[in-house]
Amino acid sequence: MAKNVKEIAVKEITKDFEESPAAVLTEYRGLTVEQLKELRRSMGPDTKYAVVKNTLTEIAAKNAGVDAFEGMLNGPTAIAFIRGDAVAAAKSLTDFAKDHEKLIIKGGYYEGQKMDAEQIKDLAALESVEHQLARVAGVLKAPASAAARIIDALRLKREEAGETAEAPAAE
């Protein structure tokens, strides 16, 4: 590889590290091109899964201030640069690894914290951000719904008793 091509590759990988709050390092030895395409599709558009050269990746990681991959950059290496939902991407990777034992998750980082393969599996076991937000919305909506039901019940009770709610006279 020519020197200027290597420099361009290092700059691109450095940029990927800088723009990604999470990344997962994998070994893909034995996977077919078709299987790698399937993996890329399963992770969605916010995750870039790239086969990388170890030496260039090591330089790029240092340039970006990422030390999570020290000692792990050996063998055929690919990195999932995650710009979107890290839980969903980790889930896609771990599910794919269950079905394709040749994909080995080595480690990664999430929001600056180094993670080993087991921690990535734990991350994948969490609920997705969308699901967590839906739960929060449900919790926040519950008191308002209860208040509306109580007010409506009071209104119905007054109507049954023959009372009418009269608007106060305008002054």
Side-chain angles (χ1 to χ4, degrees), residues 14 25 44 52 54 58 62 72-73 87 121 125 133 135 149 158 166:
T14 301
L25 186 71
V52 294
N54 294 331
E58 194 170 333
K62 285 180 185 174
M72 287 193 262
L73 291 166
V87 173
K121 288 178 185 173
L133 289 174
R135 279 187 164 206
R149 283 192 299 274
R158 289 182 89 187
E166 294 181 20

Side-chain angles (χ1 to χ4, degrees), residues 105-146:
I105 297 172
K106 293 181 175 183
Y109 71 90
Y110 179 60
E111 295 181 350
Q113 299 296 315
K114 182 177 182 176
M115 300 178 77
D116 62 20
E118 205 55 43
Q119 290 170 314
I120 291 169
K121 288 178 185 173
D122 292 343
L123 178 66
L126 296 175
E127 294 175 336
S128 71
V129 172
E130 289 83 13
H131 194 259
Q132 291 176 13
L133 289 174
R135 279 187 164 206
V136 169
V139 168
L140 294 176
K141 180 183 167 191
S145 296

